[in-house]
Amino acid sequence: MSRTADLVIVGGGIQACSTALHARMRGLSVIVIEKDTVARHASGVNAGGVRRMNRDYAELALSQRSMEIWNRIETLLDDDCGFQRAPQIKVAETEAQLDEMRARVADLNSMGYDHEVVLDQTQLRALVPAVSPHLIGALASLDDGFALPYQTTFAFQRKARALGACFHEGLAVEAVRRQGADWQISCRGGETFTGRYLLNCTGAWAGKLARQLGENAPIEAVAPMMLVTARLPHFCNAVVGGPVGRPLSFKQMANGTVVIGGGRRGTPDPDTNVSEIRFEHLRLSAAAALAIFPIMAQATIVRSWSGLEGFTPDDLPILGRSSTAENAFYACGFSGHGFQLGPGVGEVMAELIATGSTSTPIEKMSIKRFN
């Protein structure tokens, strides 16, 4: 198996696998090194939201580019990734919350985006009849959806590998250093790899690799939690988020189970790869679901989990070239909302690495903001 490539990617999540595929499509040789297994962490434990709604303005162009790929994902990957179109909805309990949504939609319209709309109470209940009567409206992006995280990440890996990308799993990187014009990557056990370009996709562990490049990537390891219920009669065809004060991500799968997340956090331990459930916080997620959907009083929780993700202080990813090291790049710190961005991140990073620039604005996500 090759030990030398144009591009060496450290990390094995969706950002890494997507970049590997798009880099191969541009003719670059690619090696991916993952200390555990592909999709072992954030890319395998997230809620699977394919969400453009309520994005930070800095992410909008990237999210739109990614959505264009989601809309042809089966053609690209020969796998539907479990992608289902469904409205993404963030409900409102107060007029003040609804006013903020109206202001956001006006901002977006002024920037040329029209994918988000405000729903009044009648429109909300027409889309999701099971919501609580006290909800007075919502922000919605009607053409978004959700997909299956493991299936999607593996589909990117499988297609990248079919096009010639080499994946090395169970191999921890210990050091990176310049060797002439190239990067030399040394791994535990003595294996070494060489690449002209280096991409840091190591998620919750990205800060450690960044320090070897002489710069600050303030990544905090966080453990978002999820739970899933036993099957219920079908009552929801949307992905529903809670209002301020009730963090919630809620969707019902085709088999009737309900998947609930939304930001409540467990206890992370990146040094041991372990995260632990905090049941007192998970109880709050269940309470938020019950407040929005009274029918959830009938639900039985059957499973819960948490996983390690990398968060930045401003909840924006770190994307683009290093500010200190030539031909080194970052795609990390996705702060719990990187899944939808994955297809677009791969295309943008491959474009940037192969050509030196990208047509999608990513400057506000540069690592320079921390240095």
Side-chain angles (χ1 to χ4, degrees), residues 18 40 71 84 106 141 168 181 186 210 258 296 305 315:
S18 176
R40 165 68 177 79
N71 286 331
Q84 298 181 47
S141 182
H168 298 262
S186 302
V258 175
M296 292 301 291
W305 68 91
D315 285 342

Side-chain angles (χ1 to χ4, degrees), residues 35-209:
K35 68 181 178 61
D36 298 303
T37 56
V38 164
R40 165 68 177 79
H41 296 289
S43 295
V45 300
N46 67 79
V50 180
R51 175 183 62 81
R52 292 174 296 170
M53 187 190 69
N54 217 29
R55 290 274 174 190
D56 189 289
Y57 293 165
E59 295 179 325
L60 284 170
L62 177 62
S63 182
Q64 289 282 43
R65 183 168 178 173
S66 200
M67 201 66 207
E68 292 169 6
I69 302 174
W70 277 108
N71 286 331
R72 53 180 172 81
I73 199 76
E74 187 167 4
T75 301
L76 175 67
L77 300 181
D78 307 319
D79 189 311
D80 67 9
C81 300
F83 175 49
Q84 298 181 47
R85 288 181 180 79
Q88 287 268 354
I89 294 173
K90 180 179 177 62
V91 297
E93 292 180 306
T94 68
E95 283 294 340
Q97 292 167 357
L98 211 50
D99 285 343
E100 289 183 9
M101 294 170 178
R102 294 188 184 103
R104 175 180 169 83
V105 169
D107 279 350
L108 293 178
N109 291 162
S110 71
M111 290 185 280
Y113 295 105
D114 60 2
H115 61 284
E116 293 185 27
V117 296
V118 173
L119 306 177
D120 62 24
Q121 189 177 50
T122 300
Q123 292 168 319
L124 170 62
R125 294 190 64 79
L127 270 176
V128 195
V131 294
S132 171
H134 81 280
L135 299 170
I136 62 171
L139 181 69
S141 182
L142 301 176
D143 295 321
D144 289 355
F146 60 92
L148 299 177
Y150 268 118
Q151 183 175 335
T152 303
T153 305
F154 290 149
F156 271 108
Q157 182 199 25
R158 186 167 53 250
K159 191 63 178 285
R161 180 178 277 160
L163 294 184
C166 295
F167 284 77
H168 298 262
E169 299 178 63
L171 194 58
V173 170
E174 292 195 324
V176 297
R177 63 177 66 86
R178 294 289 290 181
Q179 186 179 59
D182 294 329
W183 286 100
Q184 185 178 77
I185 298 92
S186 302
C187 300
R188 191 173 302 161
E191 292 194 68
T192 60
F193 299 85
T194 301
R196 181 179 177 192
Y197 304 105
L198 174 69
L199 175 60
N200 181 353
C201 287
T202 55
W205 297 266
K208 184 177 179 180
L209 189 59

